[in-house]
């Protein structure tokens, strides 16, 4: 518990977190508004505001919070290696796996906060927009809540995953570039070529958890369980790896 | 009541290899309770690697290190027993000094009031709200020391704490460490320049190229390096033979000047007088600690580079 409080203070006491929050707000707002405007202008059958898929797609803009949550996790640990604060951290808490675990929980909590903010903004704007345009909501209240819960749950889990990835890669630039490359190339490629396996990758599981309209994916609850499995795997692997390896 | 162990740090046959590089080679030494021990050696001698192993950040390839009776990673409540500073720059540049200390304090249940206390102690209370980015090297050294003192430890381990300190800062550190030891604390402090610590330490452990060179009280180290005598005579060659016969080691420096090792200046004068040799100059040369230190490291193959 002490370690978690320490990690929360570390997150709050630099400008990194606030920068990530602002970046997320910008991206989420931009995506929601562009989609809403496009759905008005382009009256194609593919992207009508009244369609459930369209509404889901717009609400899913909140899912961008997962990317920033991942970055919070990766940065929380790699910046300690980069600036050397990992040394005093481990001198104060020689049980290194405890530090990695506490970081995982703190960054999961921080990620969940991002998720709540993103959902509040995205869902708020979208629902008000539908009201103003007198378009019927195509997703029931239970469905809306399920999406909101899934997105917040996913941002929480990505924060944990970020800590695990950062603990294993350590190098800040390497961890960020490596993660982005993974998200852009091999991840989607495997999903495209071997969808049966691809469903179980973190990305696909996260999309499923967040209530994506993509019918190829798992349903939300199993998606969430698979993503939780990944989070536990990454953070445990990161903790064990950190406990074994020398600290530079 | 359990007996208080006499040694606070034991390094036993420690070897640390990085690939084909042997950073520390079969090194053993101890740090006695209540002592200020200087850990000396040229740059690259393996001092930092040894300290990092003692503090549980690096694992030995073989051998072991014991701190207060156990290995550091199993030390319970570590920051209340041992305070350490390894690098002067281990801070997030965007975090202020107070938050840096508070995050460490929180992790071990140390109250924030203690953070303010150590900030005053190292005279950083005025700068504590500023981001570390704007701190001078001396201020960073003091912030590091403040973190080591947070838990009021009984043992301090400091790696090159004098780096970047101005003369006033050095004096402050010296007085601080002496006071710390006078109150029963033990200190292991490394340096590559003996002069930085010679007024602070009681004992020194000298290593070079990862190997043990010497462990002794400070005055023994001085005594170990032979004091030389400079003597000038128009009959330098004859004097040289006489002195050599008397057990001295004589080196001709040229121009009738001899450098004599192994006998005192008075004895050189006596030998000269007894044999009627004229002397133009007779100077006992005090060997500085630095020279003694360099002599010891050179005996083991020169400074590692």
């Amino acid at each position: 518990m002490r370690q978690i409080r320490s990690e929360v203070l570390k997150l709050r006491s630099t400008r990194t977190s606030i920068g990530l929050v602002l970046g997320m707000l910008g991206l989420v707002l931009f995506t929601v508004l562009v989609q809403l405007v496009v759905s008005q202008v382009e009256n194609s059958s593919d992207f009508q505001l009244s369609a459930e898929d369209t509404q889901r797609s717009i609400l899913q803009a909140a899912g961008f919070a997962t990317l920033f949550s991942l970055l919070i996790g990766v940065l929380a640990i790699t910046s300690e290696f980069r600036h050397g604060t990992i040394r005093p951290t481990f001198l104060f808490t020689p049980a290194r796996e405890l530090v990695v675990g506490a970081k995982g929980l703190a960054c999961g909590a921080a990620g969940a906060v991002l998720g709540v903010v993103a959902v509040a903004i995205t869902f708020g704007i979208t629902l008000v927009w539908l009201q103003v345009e007198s378009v019927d909501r195509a997703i029931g209240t239970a469905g809306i809540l399920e999406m909101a819960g899934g997105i917040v749950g996913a941002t929480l889990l990505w924060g944990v995953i970020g800590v695990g990835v950062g603990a294993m890669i350590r190098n800040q630039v390497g961890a960020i570039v490596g993660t982005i490359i993974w998200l852009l190339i091999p991840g989607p490629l495997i999903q495209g070529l071997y969808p049966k396996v691809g469903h179980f990758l973190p990305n696909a599981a996260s999309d499923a958890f967040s209530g994506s309209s993509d019918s190829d994916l798992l349903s939300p609850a199993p998606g969430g369980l698979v993503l939780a499995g990944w989070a536990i795997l990454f953070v445990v692997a990161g903790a064990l790896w950190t406990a074994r390896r020398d600290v530079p | 009541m359990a007996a208080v162990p006499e040694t606070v740090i034991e390094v036993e046959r420690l070897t640390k290899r990085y690939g084909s590089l042997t950073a520390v080679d079969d090194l053993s030494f101890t740090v006695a309770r209540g002592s200020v021990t200087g850990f000396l050696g040229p740059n690259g001698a393996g001092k930092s690697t040894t300290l990092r192993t003692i503090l549980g950040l690096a694992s030995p390839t073989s051998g072991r290190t014991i701190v207060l009776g156990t290995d550091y990673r199993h030390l319970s409540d570590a920051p209340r027993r041992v305070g350490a500073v390894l690098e002067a720059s281990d801070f997030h540049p965007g975090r202020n000094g107070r938050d840096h200390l508070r995050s460490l304090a929180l992790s071990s249940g140390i109250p924030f009031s203690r953070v303010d206390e150590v900030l005053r102690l190292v005279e950083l209370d005025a700068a504590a709200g500023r981001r570390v980015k704007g701190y001078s090297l001396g201020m960073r050294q003091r912030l590091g020391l403040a973190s080591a003192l947070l838990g009021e430890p009984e043992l301090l381990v400091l790696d090159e704490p004098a780096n970047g300190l101005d003369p006033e800062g050095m004096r402050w550190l010296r007085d601080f460490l002496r006071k710390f030891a006078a109150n029963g604390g033990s200190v292991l402090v490394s340096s590559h320049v003996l002069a930085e610590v010679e007024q602070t330490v009681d004992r020194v452990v000298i290593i070079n190229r990862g190997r043990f060179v010497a462990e002794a009280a400070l005055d023994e180290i001085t005594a170990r390096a032979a004091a030389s005598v400079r003597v000038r005579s128009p009959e330098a060659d004859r004097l040289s033979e006489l002195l050599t016969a008397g057990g001295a080691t004589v080196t001709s420096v040229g121009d009738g000047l001899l450098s004599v090792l192994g006998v005192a200046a008075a004895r050189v004068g006596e030998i000269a007088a007894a044999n009627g040799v004229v002397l133009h100059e007779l100077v006992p040369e005090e060997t500085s600690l630095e020279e003694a230190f360099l002599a010891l490291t050179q005996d083991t193959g020169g400074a590692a580079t």
Side-chain angles (χ1 to χ4, degrees), chain A residues 6 13 87 91 96 246-247, chain B residues 16 52 56-57 72 95 103:
Chain A
S6 169
S13 57
R87 282 182 281 267
L91 289 176
R96 300 182 207 154
D246 281 0
V247 178
Chain B
K16 178 68 181 177
R52 287 175 48 241
L57 296 178
Y72 190 88
R95 188 175 286 133
S103 71

Side-chain angles (χ1 to χ4, degrees), chain A residues 2 27 29 41 58 67 77 92 114 129 156 178 190 217 222:
Chain A
R2 294 161 163 183
L27 189 59
L29 277 174
V41 176
I58 296 169
L67 177 64
I77 189 148
F92 271 67
L114 282 189
W129 190 292
L156 185 154
I190 297 171
L217 296 172

